[in-house]
Every structure is written in structure tokens, then in C-alpha cells.
């Protein structure tokens, strides 16, 4: 009787899994969950002392407590889900270990069948029909075992995707938020006299907007600016960035606004002069709140206009009432 034909198959009896590594990862996730629980307790215990012992009340206390509750709720969820991930990994490791054991037993049944391995897989050369049936049965059983393993892994993959989505949502919610601040003295008070090209003038506003926008600025504090130019600056910024800019101008004094031309063309007398805060509304900043002028204890100055012709003297114009600063509240969007 002729020997049965060789039977070639992939190595169905090796899952190539690493349950030990999964169990180590499971322990890491459970430890992370426990640390999150400890952090939550630490925050809540400290807050409890403040609210009960020191009797902290009022709008600020309420705002802080609401923030604390939201934060610790997410910390609690993170700790719970981290522990669940640990359990999921442990269960998966157990399934893989048990099913690999079953596959090992099936493979042992074929030890008496001549076999060889190469890049194409395993080739069995049964000596008789009984060995051929043994190999075919072992292949069928191995495929069934692997089917069950694949079903479990697919289910656990879906579970893991759920936890991944939850962790990403928490991460996004509590991701650090940054605000870029640019402090810019544009120097419209420098060289502010007829024919003097020092400092900046109205025609330089576009360049100034380019500097502010080019720095990806969220808040620009601008000093030494004339009011009639600051709103041109706002328009330039909105055109350049496509975002809404909220501008608050606080007058420090009124100045004679001279340009570079001589003779005098287009100069403005008693132009409001001072400081401005420009706030770019976006993902983090909602807008601006109250704004006010803060008067500083510095004497004012003056500028002198040259004589217009023979027999006329120079003209002295007082240059404001001294120095001021601007204070503006910036409203950050709640989480």
C-alpha cells in the first residue's frame, strides 16, 4: 500500500504570544490605577480641610470646588479604567496561556508523525492512513482553538479601544493650555515732533501687525500708541489671522500727534495717547473683561513746535499728565 501524500500547513500550534509580558503590563496598569486613587484622596482630603476648618466661602470658593469636583471625578474614572485595563490584560494572558496549552497537547499527539519545517511551514509525512487521519484531525482542532482565541482577542481589542478613547478624552480635557503674551512698546511717543522720523508713525501699523501676528500672539500689550491707530491695528490683525481681536485702549494723556512730513501735514492736536491690550479670541481665550487706567506718579513733559516764520517764537505744548498703565481682565474659557 502506498504511503499517504505529505500534508503541509502553517504552524497552527504556536500562538507566538507572550502572556508573561501581558501580566507585567497588567500589574503596571493596576499600580497606575491605585496611584490615581491615592491622588484623588489626597486632593479631596486637603480640600475638605480648607472648606471645613477655614470656612472658605464665596464665589471663588464655589468656583474652586466645582473645578475640584470635575477634576477628581476624572481622576477617579481614570483610576477605575486603569484597573479595568489591568484586568483585561490579565484575562487575555490567561486565555492565551490556556489555549496555548491545548495547542501544545494537540501538537504532542503528532510527535510520532515524521515532519520537517521550512519557510513554507510544517510538512507532515504520515506513514499510513491512521497517521494521515491523526494529522488532519489535529489541524482541524488547532484551527478551532485558534478561532476561539481570535474571537476573544477581537472582543478584548474592542474593550481596549473603548478605554483608549476614554483616556484620550480625559487627556484632551486636561491638556495644558498656553497663552502667548507679547509686550510691545511701539514708540509712537518717540520723536513725536514735526519732521522727526524717530519712533513709529501711522503708516507703520501694518508692519506692527505683522510682528504681532508673526509671533502667534494671543495677548499683546501695546504701549505708546495713539487711539486712532490702535483700531487700525485691530483691523490689520483680524485680516491677517482670521480671528476676532478684542481691543481695550486706556488713555494716559492727550498729545499732539506729529508725522514725519514737513511742513506740517495731517498732524492731529489733542489725540488720545496711551496703552492698549489686544486679546485674540480662540480655543483658550474667550475675550476680555473689565479694563481700567492705572495712573502712575510720574510728571508729564512737553514738546516744542518750531517758529513758523520771522517774528514768531517757538510754541511749547504740554505733553500730557504723566505716565499711566492699563489693566485688563482676560477671560479664559472654562474646561
Amino acid at each position: 500500500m502506498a504511503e499517504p501524500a505529505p500534508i503541509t500547513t502553517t504552524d497552527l500550534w504556536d500562538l507566538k504570544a507572550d502572556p508573561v509580558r501581558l501580566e507585567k503590563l497588567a500589574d503596571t496598569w493596576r499600580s497606575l490605577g491605585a496611584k490615581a486613587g491615592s491622588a484623588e484622596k489626597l486632593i479631596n482630603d486637603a480640600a475638605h480641610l480648607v472648606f471645613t476648618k477655614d470656612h472658605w466661602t464665596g464665589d471663588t470658593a464655589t468656583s474652586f470646588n466645582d473645578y475640584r469636583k470635575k477634576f477628581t471625578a476624572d481622576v477617579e474614572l481614570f483610576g477605575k479604567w486603569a484597573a479595568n485595563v489591568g484586568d483585561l490584560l490579565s484575562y487575555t494572558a490567561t486565555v492565551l496561556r490556556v489555549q496555548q496549552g491545548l495547542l501544545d497537547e494537540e501538537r504532542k499527539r503528532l510527535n510520532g508523525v515524521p515532519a520537517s519545517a521550512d519557510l513554507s511551514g510544517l510538512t507532515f509525512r504520515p506513514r499510513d492512513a491512521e497517521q494521515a487521519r491523526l494529522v488532519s484531525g489535529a489541524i482541524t482542532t488547532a484551527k478551532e482553538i485558534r478561532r476561539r482565541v481570535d474571537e476573544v482577542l477581537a472582543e478584548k481589542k474592542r474593550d481596549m479601544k473603548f478605554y483608549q478613547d476614554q483616556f484620550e478624552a480625559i487627556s484632551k480635557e486636561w491638556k495644558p493650555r498656553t497663552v502667548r503674551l507679547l509686550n510691545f512698546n511701539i514708540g509712537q511717543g518717540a520723536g513725536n515732533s514735526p519732521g522727526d522720523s524717530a519712533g513709529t508713525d501711522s503708516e507703520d501699523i501694518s508692519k506692527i501687525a505683522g510682528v504681532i501676528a508673526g509671533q502667534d500672539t494671543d495677548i499683546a500689550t501695546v504701549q505708546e500708541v495713539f487711539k486712532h491707530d490702535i483700531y487700525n491695528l485691530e483691523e490689520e490683525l483680524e485680516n491677517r489671522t482670521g480671528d476676532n481681536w478684542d481691543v481695550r485702549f486706556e488713555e494716559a494723556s492727550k498729545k499732539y500727534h506729529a508725522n514725519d512730513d514737513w511742513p506740517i501735514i495731517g498732524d492731529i492736536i489733542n489725540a488720545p495717547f496711551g496703552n492698549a491690550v489686544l486679546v485674540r479670541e480662540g480655543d483658550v481665550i474667550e475675550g476680555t473683561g473689565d479694563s481700567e487706567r492705572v495712573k502712575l506718579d510720574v510728571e508729564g513733559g512737553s514738546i516744542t513746535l518750531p517758529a513758523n516764520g520771522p517774528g514768531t517764537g517757538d510754541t511749547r505744548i504740554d505733553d500730557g499728565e504723566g505716565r499711566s498703565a492699563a489693566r485688563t481682565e482676560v477671560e479664559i474659557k472654562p474646561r
Side-chain angles (χ1 to χ4, degrees), residues 135-167:
V135 172
S136 295
I139 290 175
T140 299
T141 301
K143 287 181 177 179
E144 176 59 24
I145 292 172
R146 294 184 73 99
R147 183 190 65 78
R148 294 199 300 264
V149 171
D150 289 342
E151 287 180 353
V152 172
L153 292 180
E155 177 186 349
K156 298 311 170 187
K157 184 178 180 180
R158 289 191 295 270
D159 292 342
M160 188 66 81
K161 182 63 168 61
F162 166 80
Y163 291 117
Q164 179 184 353
D165 291 344
Q166 303 311 310
F167 291 141

Side-chain angles (χ1 to χ4, degrees), residues 177-182 212-213 215-221 243-246 277-285 288 330:
R177 300 184 295 176
T178 59
V179 174
R180 290 178 62 86
L181 172 65
L182 177 65
I212 295 174
Q215 295 295 316
D216 195 24
T217 305
D218 296 301
I219 302 173
T221 56
D243 295 326
N244 183 59
W245 286 76
D246 197 359
V277 178
L278 298 90
V279 180
R280 181 181 189 173
E281 297 176 0
D283 293 337
V284 177
I285 299 178
T288 55
V330 177

Side-chain angles (χ1 to χ4, degrees), residues 193-195 256 258 261-265 267 269 304-317:
S193 59
Y256 181 99
D261 297 326
W262 187 260
I264 298 172
I265 299 175
D267 288 4
I269 299 175
T304 301
L305 297 181
N308 290 325
T312 62
D314 293 343
T315 303
R316 180 180 183 276
I317 299 178

Side-chain angles (χ1 to χ4, degrees), residues 179-209:
V179 174
R180 290 178 62 86
L181 172 65
L182 177 65
N183 185 35
F184 199 174
N185 188 324
I186 68 172
Q188 285 197 311
N192 181 35
S193 59
D196 192 335
S197 61
T200 58
D201 296 287
S202 298
E203 57 267 26
D204 298 318
I205 290 298
S206 179
K207 295 178 182 178
I208 294 169

Side-chain angles (χ1 to χ4, degrees), residues 10 37 42 57 59-60 66 106 164 176 180 192 213 221 283 296 323:
T10 56
L42 182 66
T57 60
D59 292 342
T60 305
D66 290 342
E106 288 297 314
Q164 179 184 353
R180 290 178 62 86
N192 181 35
T221 56
D283 293 337
L296 303 177
R323 297 185 181 273

Side-chain angles (χ1 to χ4, degrees), residues 63-116:
S63 177
F64 168 81
N65 205 29
D66 290 342
Y67 184 88
R68 176 193 64 83
K69 289 177 181 178
K70 189 176 189 314
F71 178 70
T72 53
D74 279 351
V75 171
E76 180 183 9
L77 278 177
F78 177 87
K80 177 182 177 181
W81 288 331
N84 289 350
V85 170
D87 294 341
L88 186 155
L89 292 171
S90 288
Y91 179 81
T92 304
T94 299
V95 168
L96 292 172
R97 181 176 283 109
V98 170
Q99 300 304 313
Q100 183 61 64
L102 295 176
L103 289 171
D104 291 342
E105 290 298 321
E106 288 297 314
R107 184 63 180 85
K108 287 179 182 178
R109 295 176 60 198
L110 302 179
N111 285 345
V113 182
S116 62

Side-chain angles (χ1 to χ4, degrees), residues 49-61:
L49 289 175
V50 171
F51 282 105
T52 58
K53 183 178 179 180
D54 297 335
H55 305 292
W56 186 22
T57 60
D59 292 342
T60 305

